[in-house]
Amino acid sequence: LDQFASALHNDGDYEEEVRVRREAIAVGAEARDDLIVADMWTSLVSTVADALGRPDEAEALLLSAEAAVARAGNPVLYRYDLM
């Protein structure tokens, strides 16, 4: 799903990318893959804020993204992405 979401991003289909990333968050959570969940959350926040230009919505997602990054062990890469 990550590669598919990235391809959608590269094609400029940001709404569909957001849908796929949300699906990937659920799938990653079911698989208990905290790194995938953190990656999808940080990418989701970035896409919503930057590509879609909806900073208020991105800010509302930020707490969940920060929690996912914390659960994944606070990898520097993901913390940096949320800055």
Side-chain angles (χ1 to χ4, degrees):
L1 289 174
D2 181 37
Q3 290 178 346
F4 182 47
S6 294
L8 291 167
H9 184 90
N10 292 336
D11 287 344
D13 192 352
Y14 306 123
E15 292 291 348
E16 184 65 9
E17 176 196 357
V18 165
R19 187 196 67 75
V20 170
R21 291 205 185 277
R22 288 180 187 274
E23 181 182 345
I25 288 167
V27 170
E30 286 181 29
R32 297 182 181 176
D33 190 331
D34 294 334
L35 287 174
I36 289 291
V37 172
D39 184 30
M40 291 301 100
W41 270 111
T42 56
S43 296
L44 177 64
V45 169
S46 176
T47 297
V48 170
D50 299 331
L52 292 175
R54 299 192 308 232
D56 292 341
E57 183 180 343
E59 188 174 347
L61 298 170
L62 196 54
L63 184 60
S64 295
E66 290 170 339
V69 170
R71 181 160 173 86
N74 279 316
V76 173
L77 174 65
Y78 299 128
R79 285 185 305 176
Y80 176 78
D81 285 346
L82 290 176
M83 296 177 108

